[in-house]
């Protein structure tokens, strides 16, 4: 047995255990403990995206949009074609009121999954806030094409939905 192989295997096991622990903590609502585990996972394997994705989601949920943006940016630097990374960048940009950047990242996400209703929903809202009526309408039509009834109903309950309808009419 080579010590390199054993060492590598042990690092993989440690990483997996940290990520698994973080996910359990998230499920239990213990986000600080989850972030701590994600941080340890990143120290073990800084080129694996799972810990960055998990930590980025926690930061989004906590309203720490700049930190979330940094994690999702790291993801797309590691994996150029990571849908969740681009979607996270778009969502963080949207929450930071950087709508033109949000559009760019949501378009990148759309190129990887053109049928994602949530991407089209965010594009609709981002275009509306950028005062682009034509693309607002196109994105809203795509959202309605790909969204389930449940997703459509959820969007209708969003206070921004009525603003979209008024804007495109």
């Amino acid at each position: 047995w080579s010590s390199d192989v054993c060492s590598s295997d042990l690092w993989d096991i440690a990483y997996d255990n940290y990520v698994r622990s973080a996910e359990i903590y998230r499920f239990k609502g213990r986000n600080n403990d989850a972030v701590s585990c994600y941080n340890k996972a990143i120290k073990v394997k800084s080129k694996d995206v799972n810990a960055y994705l998990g930590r980025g989601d926690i930061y989004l949920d906590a309203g720490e949009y700049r930190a979330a943006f940094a994690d999702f940016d790291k993801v797309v630097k590691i994996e150029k074609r990571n849908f969740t990374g681009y979607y996270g960048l778009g969502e963080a940009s949207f929450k930071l009121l950087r709508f033109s950047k949000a559009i760019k990242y949501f378009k990148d996400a759309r190129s990887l999954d053109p049928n994602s209703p949530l991407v089209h929903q965010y594009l609709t809202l981002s275009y509306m806030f950028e005062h682009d009526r034509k693309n607002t309408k196109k994105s809203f039509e795509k959202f309605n094409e790909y969204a389930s009834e449940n997703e459509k109903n959820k969007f209708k309950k969003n206070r921004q939905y009525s603003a979209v309808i008024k804007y495109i009419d």
Side-chain angles (χ1 to χ4, degrees):
W1 279 41
S2 163
S3 62
D4 290 338
V5 172
C6 292
S7 176
S8 175
D9 290 345
L10 291 175
W11 287 119
D12 289 345
I13 292 168
Y15 178 85
D16 292 343
N17 284 334
Y18 284 132
V19 170
R20 190 174 306 112
S21 296
E23 291 167 355
I24 291 168
Y25 282 132
R26 277 184 74 189
F27 180 76
K28 292 181 176 186
R30 295 173 54 185
N31 289 339
N32 289 339
D33 292 325
V35 167
S36 178
C37 287
Y38 284 132
N39 290 341
K40 290 175 185 175
I42 289 166
K43 283 182 182 178
V44 171
K45 285 176 74 175
S46 64
K47 298 291 185 195
D48 194 295
V49 299
N50 292 321
Y52 292 108
L53 290 170
R55 191 174 69 178
D57 283 340
I58 290 173
Y59 288 149
L60 270 180
D61 292 344
E64 297 179 37
Y65 305 126
R66 283 181 173 76
F69 185 94
D71 276 349
F72 294 122
D73 188 53
K74 186 70 172 175
V75 168
V76 300
K77 285 180 177 164
I78 295 168
E79 287 183 8
K80 301 284 186 231
R81 298 189 45 80
N82 188 296
F83 170 83
T84 308
Y86 285 112
Y87 183 87
L89 283 168
E91 190 173 357
S93 297
F94 183 87
K95 302 287 186 175
L96 289 166
L97 308 179
R98 296 179 180 157
F99 303 115
S100 62
K101 287 222 180 257
I103 290 167
K104 176 207 175 305
Y105 294 123
F106 285 125
K107 286 169 76 175
D108 290 337
R110 182 184 65 193
S111 74
L112 298 170
D113 182 0
N115 302 334
S116 170
L118 290 177
V119 167
H120 292 291
Q121 179 180 335
Y122 266 116
L123 279 169
T124 297
L125 294 171
S126 298
Y127 281 126
M128 181 182 73
F129 289 126
E130 284 292 296
H131 308 288
D132 183 340
R133 190 180 314 267
K134 177 184 167 196
N135 282 313
T136 301
K137 188 172 183 174
K138 281 174 53 177
S139 294
F140 186 65
E141 289 168 356
K142 288 292 185 184
F143 168 77
N144 281 312
E145 180 180 340
Y146 297 120
S148 68
E149 286 305 312
N150 187 39
E151 289 165 322
K152 290 176 189 177
N153 289 332
K154 187 175 178 183
F155 189 33
K156 286 178 184 176
K157 292 178 185 174
N158 182 322
R159 64 180 173 80
Q160 295 169 328
Y161 178 82
S162 59
V164 169
I165 298 303
K166 287 178 186 176
Y167 184 71
I168 60 178
D169 279 342

mmCIF file of all heavy atoms in Angstrom, residues 83-84 86-88 90 102-127 139-140 142-143 146 151:
data_model
loop_
_atom_site.group_PDB
_atom_site.id
_atom_site.type_symbol
_atom_site.label_atom_id
_atom_site.label_comp_id
_atom_site.label_asym_id
_atom_site.label_seq_id
_atom_site.Cartn_x
_atom_site.Cartn_y
_atom_site.Cartn_z
ATOM 1 N N PHE A 83 -24.911 24.402 -13.171
ATOM 2 C CA PHE A 83 -26.189 25.106 -13.152
ATOM 3 C C PHE A 83 -26.451 25.756 -11.801
ATOM 4 O O PHE A 83 -26.813 26.933 -11.718
ATOM 5 C CB PHE A 83 -27.338 24.140 -13.489
ATOM 6 C CG PHE A 83 -28.703 24.740 -13.257
ATOM 7 C CD1 PHE A 83 -29.279 25.540 -14.217
ATOM 8 C CD2 PHE A 83 -29.384 24.511 -12.066
ATOM 9 C CE1 PHE A 83 -30.530 26.121 -13.993
ATOM 10 C CE2 PHE A 83 -30.622 25.080 -11.837
ATOM 11 C CZ PHE A 83 -31.204 25.878 -12.810
ATOM 12 N N THR A 84 -26.281 25.009 -10.722
ATOM 13 C CA THR A 84 -26.602 25.512 -9.384
ATOM 14 C C THR A 84 -25.712 26.696 -9.019
ATOM 15 O O THR A 84 -26.164 27.639 -8.368
ATOM 16 C CB THR A 84 -26.478 24.389 -8.338
ATOM 17 O OG1 THR A 84 -27.254 23.273 -8.780
ATOM 18 C CG2 THR A 84 -26.972 24.830 -6.984
ATOM 19 N N TYR A 86 -24.420 28.961 -11.171
ATOM 20 C CA TYR A 86 -24.913 30.138 -11.893
ATOM 21 C C TYR A 86 -26.261 30.604 -11.348
ATOM 22 O O TYR A 86 -26.503 31.808 -11.215
ATOM 23 C CB TYR A 86 -25.014 29.866 -13.397
ATOM 24 C CG TYR A 86 -23.671 29.869 -14.060
ATOM 25 C CD1 TYR A 86 -23.128 28.697 -14.575
ATOM 26 C CD2 TYR A 86 -22.914 31.033 -14.161
ATOM 27 C CE1 TYR A 86 -21.880 28.687 -15.178
ATOM 28 C CE2 TYR A 86 -21.662 31.034 -14.759
ATOM 29 C CZ TYR A 86 -21.153 29.859 -15.261
ATOM 30 O OH TYR A 86 -19.912 29.865 -15.841
ATOM 31 N N TYR A 87 -27.121 29.659 -11.010
ATOM 32 C CA TYR A 87 -28.413 30.019 -10.425
ATOM 33 C C TYR A 87 -28.186 30.759 -9.101
ATOM 34 O O TYR A 87 -28.820 31.785 -8.835
ATOM 35 C CB TYR A 87 -29.273 28.763 -10.212
ATOM 36 C CG TYR A 87 -30.644 29.083 -9.675
ATOM 37 C CD1 TYR A 87 -31.688 29.391 -10.544
ATOM 38 C CD2 TYR A 87 -30.891 29.094 -8.309
ATOM 39 C CE1 TYR A 87 -32.946 29.696 -10.047
ATOM 40 C CE2 TYR A 87 -32.144 29.404 -7.813
ATOM 41 C CZ TYR A 87 -33.168 29.696 -8.689
ATOM 42 O OH TYR A 87 -34.407 30.009 -8.199
ATOM 43 N N GLY A 88 -27.286 30.257 -8.272
ATOM 44 C CA GLY A 88 -26.974 30.914 -7.004
ATOM 45 C C GLY A 88 -26.396 32.307 -7.206
ATOM 46 O O GLY A 88 -26.740 33.245 -6.473
ATOM 47 N N GLY A 90 -27.028 34.213 -9.731
ATOM 48 C CA GLY A 90 -28.158 35.032 -10.154
ATOM 49 C C GLY A 90 -29.031 35.441 -8.980
ATOM 50 O O GLY A 90 -29.418 36.612 -8.846
ATOM 51 N N ALA A 102 -27.755 39.849 -12.397
ATOM 52 C CA ALA A 102 -28.639 38.704 -12.182
ATOM 53 C C ALA A 102 -29.067 38.130 -13.531
ATOM 54 O O ALA A 102 -29.061 36.908 -13.723
ATOM 55 C CB ALA A 102 -29.849 39.105 -11.350
ATOM 56 N N ILE A 103 -29.421 39.004 -14.465
ATOM 57 C CA ILE A 103 -29.831 38.551 -15.796
ATOM 58 C C ILE A 103 -28.715 37.745 -16.443
ATOM 59 O O ILE A 103 -28.953 36.667 -16.987
ATOM 60 C CB ILE A 103 -30.242 39.754 -16.681
ATOM 61 C CG1 ILE A 103 -31.561 40.346 -16.174
ATOM 62 C CG2 ILE A 103 -30.342 39.343 -18.154
ATOM 63 C CD1 ILE A 103 -31.899 41.710 -16.756
ATOM 64 N N LYS A 104 -27.487 38.243 -16.368
ATOM 65 C CA LYS A 104 -26.358 37.533 -16.963
ATOM 66 C C LYS A 104 -26.238 36.121 -16.382
ATOM 67 O O LYS A 104 -26.120 35.147 -17.117
ATOM 68 C CB LYS A 104 -25.060 38.305 -16.733
ATOM 69 C CG LYS A 104 -23.819 37.595 -17.248
ATOM 70 C CD LYS A 104 -22.582 38.002 -16.481
ATOM 71 C CE LYS A 104 -21.346 37.244 -16.859
ATOM 72 N NZ LYS A 104 -21.402 35.812 -16.778
ATOM 73 N N TYR A 105 -26.274 36.021 -15.055
ATOM 74 C CA TYR A 105 -26.090 34.713 -14.420
ATOM 75 C C TYR A 105 -27.286 33.791 -14.662
ATOM 76 O O TYR A 105 -27.102 32.586 -14.866
ATOM 77 C CB TYR A 105 -25.813 34.866 -12.931
ATOM 78 C CG TYR A 105 -24.494 35.551 -12.671
ATOM 79 C CD1 TYR A 105 -24.432 36.714 -11.917
ATOM 80 C CD2 TYR A 105 -23.301 35.045 -13.196
ATOM 81 C CE1 TYR A 105 -23.218 37.353 -11.683
ATOM 82 C CE2 TYR A 105 -22.091 35.671 -12.973
ATOM 83 C CZ TYR A 105 -22.061 36.825 -12.214
ATOM 84 O OH TYR A 105 -20.854 37.455 -11.996
ATOM 85 N N PHE A 106 -28.499 34.341 -14.653
ATOM 86 C CA PHE A 106 -29.660 33.496 -14.937
ATOM 87 C C PHE A 106 -29.656 33.030 -16.394
ATOM 88 O O PHE A 106 -30.088 31.910 -16.687
ATOM 89 C CB PHE A 106 -30.977 34.201 -14.587
ATOM 90 C CG PHE A 106 -31.231 34.268 -13.109
ATOM 91 C CD1 PHE A 106 -31.470 35.470 -12.482
ATOM 92 C CD2 PHE A 106 -31.229 33.111 -12.336
ATOM 93 C CE1 PHE A 106 -31.710 35.534 -11.119
ATOM 94 C CE2 PHE A 106 -31.463 33.161 -10.968
ATOM 95 C CZ PHE A 106 -31.704 34.376 -10.359
ATOM 96 N N LYS A 107 -29.140 33.846 -17.303
ATOM 97 C CA LYS A 107 -29.005 33.400 -18.691
ATOM 98 C C LYS A 107 -27.965 32.286 -18.794
ATOM 99 O O LYS A 107 -28.156 31.331 -19.546
ATOM 100 C CB LYS A 107 -28.644 34.582 -19.600
ATOM 101 C CG LYS A 107 -29.834 35.508 -19.832
ATOM 102 C CD LYS A 107 -29.447 36.804 -20.506
ATOM 103 C CE LYS A 107 -29.177 36.657 -21.955
ATOM 104 N NZ LYS A 107 -28.905 37.957 -22.620
ATOM 105 N N ASP A 108 -26.892 32.381 -18.007
ATOM 106 C CA ASP A 108 -25.910 31.294 -17.971
ATOM 107 C C ASP A 108 -26.555 30.013 -17.448
ATOM 108 O O ASP A 108 -26.336 28.931 -17.993
ATOM 109 C CB ASP A 108 -24.712 31.668 -17.090
ATOM 110 C CG ASP A 108 -23.826 32.749 -17.694
ATOM 111 O OD1 ASP A 108 -23.853 32.922 -18.939
ATOM 112 O OD2 ASP A 108 -23.108 33.426 -16.932
ATOM 113 N N ALA A 109 -27.354 30.142 -16.387
ATOM 114 C CA ALA A 109 -28.065 28.971 -15.838
ATOM 115 C C ALA A 109 -29.042 28.420 -16.867
ATOM 116 O O ALA A 109 -29.143 27.206 -17.057
ATOM 117 C CB ALA A 109 -28.792 29.348 -14.546
ATOM 118 N N ARG A 110 -29.746 29.314 -17.553
ATOM 119 C CA ARG A 110 -30.720 28.890 -18.572
ATOM 120 C C ARG A 110 -30.032 28.129 -19.704
ATOM 121 O O ARG A 110 -30.596 27.169 -20.247
ATOM 122 C CB ARG A 110 -31.459 30.111 -19.118
ATOM 123 C CG ARG A 110 -32.526 29.761 -20.145
ATOM 124 C CD ARG A 110 -33.161 30.990 -20.739
ATOM 125 N NE ARG A 110 -32.174 31.741 -21.503
ATOM 126 C CZ ARG A 110 -32.349 32.981 -21.935
ATOM 127 N NH1 ARG A 110 -33.469 33.634 -21.674
ATOM 128 N NH2 ARG A 110 -31.409 33.581 -22.622
ATOM 129 N N SER A 111 -28.798 28.513 -20.040
ATOM 130 C CA SER A 111 -28.094 27.805 -21.110
ATOM 131 C C SER A 111 -27.816 26.353 -20.710
ATOM 132 O O SER A 111 -27.683 25.486 -21.568
ATOM 133 C CB SER A 111 -26.795 28.522 -21.478
ATOM 134 O OG SER A 111 -25.809 28.327 -20.484
ATOM 135 N N LEU A 112 -27.736 26.093 -19.408
ATOM 136 C CA LEU A 112 -27.491 24.739 -18.911
ATOM 137 C C LEU A 112 -28.790 23.968 -18.654
ATOM 138 O O LEU A 112 -28.793 22.739 -18.703
ATOM 139 C CB LEU A 112 -26.651 24.797 -17.627
ATOM 140 C CG LEU A 112 -25.263 25.418 -17.817
ATOM 141 C CD1 LEU A 112 -24.603 25.659 -16.470
ATOM 142 C CD2 LEU A 112 -24.399 24.534 -18.703
ATOM 143 N N ASP A 113 -29.868 24.681 -18.353
ATOM 144 C CA ASP A 113 -31.182 24.055 -18.151
ATOM 145 C C ASP A 113 -32.256 25.007 -18.660
ATOM 146 O O ASP A 113 -32.803 25.807 -17.899
ATOM 147 C CB ASP A 113 -31.415 23.728 -16.673
ATOM 148 C CG ASP A 113 -32.751 23.020 -16.440
ATOM 149 O OD1 ASP A 113 -33.501 22.779 -17.418
ATOM 150 O OD2 ASP A 113 -33.051 22.716 -15.271
ATOM 151 N N PRO A 114 -32.546 24.948 -19.963
ATOM 152 C CA PRO A 114 -33.493 25.900 -20.552
ATOM 153 C C PRO A 114 -34.940 25.721 -20.087
ATOM 154 O O PRO A 114 -35.776 26.593 -20.321
ATOM 155 C CB PRO A 114 -33.368 25.650 -22.057
ATOM 156 C CG PRO A 114 -32.730 24.321 -22.200
ATOM 157 C CD PRO A 114 -31.956 24.060 -20.950
ATOM 158 N N ASN A 115 -35.242 24.632 -19.404
ATOM 159 C CA ASN A 115 -36.615 24.363 -18.982
ATOM 160 C C ASN A 115 -36.864 24.661 -17.507
ATOM 161 O O ASN A 115 -37.908 24.284 -16.975
ATOM 162 C CB ASN A 115 -36.973 22.895 -19.260
ATOM 163 C CG ASN A 115 -36.820 22.549 -20.728
ATOM 164 O OD1 ASN A 115 -36.918 23.404 -21.601
ATOM 165 N ND2 ASN A 115 -36.563 21.294 -21.002
ATOM 166 N N SER A 116 -35.945 25.322 -16.843
ATOM 167 C CA SER A 116 -36.107 25.616 -15.424
ATOM 168 C C SER A 116 -37.083 26.770 -15.223
ATOM 169 O O SER A 116 -36.776 27.918 -15.563
ATOM 170 C CB SER A 116 -34.765 25.983 -14.783
ATOM 171 O OG SER A 116 -34.971 26.480 -13.474
ATOM 172 N N PRO A 117 -38.247 26.497 -14.650
ATOM 173 C CA PRO A 117 -39.214 27.582 -14.455
ATOM 174 C C PRO A 117 -38.708 28.666 -13.501
ATOM 175 O O PRO A 117 -39.002 29.852 -13.703
ATOM 176 C CB PRO A 117 -40.451 26.883 -13.881
ATOM 177 C CG PRO A 117 -40.028 25.523 -13.485
ATOM 178 C CD PRO A 117 -38.761 25.208 -14.203
ATOM 179 N N LEU A 118 -37.936 28.297 -12.502
ATOM 180 C CA LEU A 118 -37.453 29.307 -11.554
ATOM 181 C C LEU A 118 -36.461 30.271 -12.208
ATOM 182 O O LEU A 118 -36.445 31.456 -11.886
ATOM 183 C CB LEU A 118 -36.841 28.643 -10.324
ATOM 184 C CG LEU A 118 -37.858 27.950 -9.414
ATOM 185 C CD1 LEU A 118 -37.158 27.258 -8.257
ATOM 186 C CD2 LEU A 118 -38.896 28.929 -8.900
ATOM 187 N N VAL A 119 -35.664 29.771 -13.135
ATOM 188 C CA VAL A 119 -34.769 30.663 -13.875
ATOM 189 C C VAL A 119 -35.603 31.669 -14.664
ATOM 190 O O VAL A 119 -35.334 32.874 -14.636
ATOM 191 C CB VAL A 119 -33.829 29.868 -14.812
ATOM 192 C CG1 VAL A 119 -33.122 30.793 -15.795
ATOM 193 C CG2 VAL A 119 -32.820 29.079 -14.003
ATOM 194 N N HIS A 120 -36.653 31.188 -15.321
ATOM 195 C CA HIS A 120 -37.503 32.089 -16.109
ATOM 196 C C HIS A 120 -38.267 33.061 -15.207
ATOM 197 O O HIS A 120 -38.472 34.218 -15.573
ATOM 198 C CB HIS A 120 -38.448 31.286 -16.997
ATOM 199 C CG HIS A 120 -37.729 30.545 -18.078
ATOM 200 N ND1 HIS A 120 -37.115 31.174 -19.130
ATOM 201 C CD2 HIS A 120 -37.477 29.229 -18.234
ATOM 202 C CE1 HIS A 120 -36.534 30.279 -19.911
ATOM 203 N NE2 HIS A 120 -36.733 29.086 -19.385
ATOM 204 N N GLN A 121 -38.646 32.615 -14.028
ATOM 205 C CA GLN A 121 -39.328 33.512 -13.087
ATOM 206 C C GLN A 121 -38.388 34.641 -12.661
ATOM 207 O O GLN A 121 -38.757 35.809 -12.684
ATOM 208 C CB GLN A 121 -39.800 32.733 -11.868
ATOM 209 C CG GLN A 121 -40.497 33.602 -10.832
ATOM 210 C CD GLN A 121 -40.950 32.803 -9.620
ATOM 211 O OE1 GLN A 121 -41.172 31.612 -9.698
ATOM 212 N NE2 GLN A 121 -41.083 33.468 -8.499
ATOM 213 N N TYR A 122 -37.164 34.279 -12.287
ATOM 214 C CA TYR A 122 -36.202 35.310 -11.894
ATOM 215 C C TYR A 122 -35.828 36.210 -13.070
ATOM 216 O O TYR A 122 -35.632 37.419 -12.889
ATOM 217 C CB TYR A 122 -34.941 34.680 -11.300
ATOM 218 C CG TYR A 122 -34.980 34.563 -9.799
ATOM 219 C CD1 TYR A 122 -34.962 33.323 -9.178
ATOM 220 C CD2 TYR A 122 -35.010 35.693 -8.980
ATOM 221 C CE1 TYR A 122 -34.978 33.208 -7.793
ATOM 222 C CE2 TYR A 122 -35.025 35.593 -7.600
ATOM 223 C CZ TYR A 122 -35.009 34.352 -7.015
ATOM 224 O OH TYR A 122 -35.020 34.245 -5.642
ATOM 225 N N LEU A 123 -35.714 35.641 -14.268
ATOM 226 C CA LEU A 123 -35.449 36.484 -15.434
ATOM 227 C C LEU A 123 -36.585 37.466 -15.658
ATOM 228 O O LEU A 123 -36.348 38.644 -15.957
ATOM 229 C CB LEU A 123 -35.219 35.624 -16.684
ATOM 230 C CG LEU A 123 -33.822 35.035 -16.825
ATOM 231 C CD1 LEU A 123 -33.782 33.988 -17.940
ATOM 232 C CD2 LEU A 123 -32.792 36.119 -17.076
ATOM 233 N N THR A 124 -37.821 37.000 -15.492
ATOM 234 C CA THR A 124 -38.983 37.883 -15.628
ATOM 235 C C THR A 124 -38.853 39.083 -14.690
ATOM 236 O O THR A 124 -38.989 40.237 -15.110
ATOM 237 C CB THR A 124 -40.282 37.108 -15.302
ATOM 238 O OG1 THR A 124 -40.443 36.051 -16.253
ATOM 239 C CG2 THR A 124 -41.500 38.013 -15.337
ATOM 240 N N LEU A 125 -38.597 38.802 -13.431
ATOM 241 C CA LEU A 125 -38.510 39.872 -12.441
ATOM 242 C C LEU A 125 -37.301 40.773 -12.692
ATOM 243 O O LEU A 125 -37.400 42.004 -12.589
ATOM 244 C CB LEU A 125 -38.440 39.267 -11.034
ATOM 245 C CG LEU A 125 -39.695 38.522 -10.587
ATOM 246 C CD1 LEU A 125 -39.448 37.781 -9.285
ATOM 247 C CD2 LEU A 125 -40.878 39.475 -10.460
ATOM 248 N N SER A 126 -36.171 40.179 -13.042
ATOM 249 C CA SER A 126 -34.959 40.975 -13.290
ATOM 250 C C SER A 126 -35.146 41.900 -14.484
ATOM 251 O O SER A 126 -34.775 43.086 -14.429
ATOM 252 C CB SER A 126 -33.758 40.054 -13.509
ATOM 253 O OG SER A 126 -33.507 39.275 -12.364
ATOM 254 N N TYR A 127 -35.717 41.375 -15.562
ATOM 255 C CA TYR A 127 -35.983 42.218 -16.735
ATOM 256 C C TYR A 127 -36.968 43.332 -16.390
ATOM 257 O O TYR A 127 -36.821 44.468 -16.845
ATOM 258 C CB TYR A 127 -36.526 41.385 -17.901
ATOM 259 C CG TYR A 127 -35.471 40.621 -18.666
ATOM 260 C CD1 TYR A 127 -35.591 39.252 -18.855
ATOM 261 C CD2 TYR A 127 -34.373 41.264 -19.225
ATOM 262 C CE1 TYR A 127 -34.640 38.537 -19.576
ATOM 263 C CE2 TYR A 127 -33.412 40.564 -19.947
ATOM 264 C CZ TYR A 127 -33.548 39.207 -20.113
ATOM 265 O OH TYR A 127 -32.603 38.514 -20.825
ATOM 266 N N SER A 139 -39.825 36.153 -20.979
ATOM 267 C CA SER A 139 -39.458 35.291 -19.846
ATOM 268 C C SER A 139 -40.689 34.816 -19.092
ATOM 269 O O SER A 139 -40.743 33.665 -18.640
ATOM 270 C CB SER A 139 -38.510 36.034 -18.899
ATOM 271 O OG SER A 139 -37.295 36.292 -19.541
ATOM 272 N N PHE A 140 -41.682 35.685 -18.968
ATOM 273 C CA PHE A 140 -42.920 35.303 -18.287
ATOM 274 C C PHE A 140 -43.645 34.208 -19.074
ATOM 275 O O PHE A 140 -44.177 33.258 -18.491
ATOM 276 C CB PHE A 140 -43.819 36.523 -18.090
ATOM 277 C CG PHE A 140 -45.045 36.246 -17.276
ATOM 278 C CD1 PHE A 140 -44.942 35.884 -15.935
ATOM 279 C CD2 PHE A 140 -46.299 36.344 -17.847
ATOM 280 C CE1 PHE A 140 -46.074 35.623 -15.179
ATOM 281 C CE2 PHE A 140 -47.435 36.092 -17.097
ATOM 282 C CZ PHE A 140 -47.318 35.727 -15.761
ATOM 283 N N LYS A 142 -42.186 31.993 -21.011
ATOM 284 C CA LYS A 142 -41.397 30.767 -20.799
ATOM 285 C C LYS A 142 -41.668 30.186 -19.408
ATOM 286 O O LYS A 142 -41.768 28.975 -19.251
ATOM 287 C CB LYS A 142 -39.897 31.035 -20.971
ATOM 288 C CG LYS A 142 -39.493 31.273 -22.395
ATOM 289 C CD LYS A 142 -39.641 30.000 -23.196
ATOM 290 C CE LYS A 142 -39.120 30.166 -24.601
ATOM 291 N NZ LYS A 142 -39.340 28.967 -25.419
ATOM 292 N N PHE A 143 -41.770 31.058 -18.416
ATOM 293 C CA PHE A 143 -42.101 30.576 -17.071
ATOM 294 C C PHE A 143 -43.423 29.813 -17.118
ATOM 295 O O PHE A 143 -43.526 28.697 -16.604
ATOM 296 C CB PHE A 143 -42.196 31.737 -16.067
ATOM 297 C CG PHE A 143 -42.818 31.325 -14.761
ATOM 298 C CD1 PHE A 143 -42.084 30.612 -13.828
ATOM 299 C CD2 PHE A 143 -44.142 31.620 -14.481
ATOM 300 C CE1 PHE A 143 -42.657 30.199 -12.634
ATOM 301 C CE2 PHE A 143 -44.725 31.221 -13.293
ATOM 302 C CZ PHE A 143 -43.981 30.509 -12.364
ATOM 303 N N TYR A 146 -43.105 26.321 -18.738
ATOM 304 C CA TYR A 146 -42.373 25.262 -18.038
ATOM 305 C C TYR A 146 -42.817 25.022 -16.597
ATOM 306 O O TYR A 146 -42.507 23.976 -16.029
ATOM 307 C CB TYR A 146 -40.874 25.555 -18.059
ATOM 308 C CG TYR A 146 -40.304 25.576 -19.453
ATOM 309 C CD1 TYR A 146 -39.702 26.713 -19.959
ATOM 310 C CD2 TYR A 146 -40.379 24.447 -20.273
ATOM 311 C CE1 TYR A 146 -39.177 26.729 -21.250
ATOM 312 C CE2 TYR A 146 -39.862 24.465 -21.556
ATOM 313 C CZ TYR A 146 -39.265 25.602 -22.037
ATOM 314 O OH TYR A 146 -38.751 25.625 -23.306
ATOM 315 N N GLU A 151 -46.122 25.687 -9.078
ATOM 316 C CA GLU A 151 -45.156 26.782 -9.215
ATOM 317 C C GLU A 151 -45.847 28.066 -9.678
ATOM 318 O O GLU A 151 -45.524 29.156 -9.205
ATOM 319 C CB GLU A 151 -44.044 26.391 -10.191
ATOM 320 C CG GLU A 151 -43.106 25.332 -9.631
ATOM 321 C CD GLU A 151 -42.233 24.685 -10.685
ATOM 322 O OE1 GLU A 151 -42.705 24.450 -11.817
ATOM 323 O OE2 GLU A 151 -41.069 24.394 -10.353
#
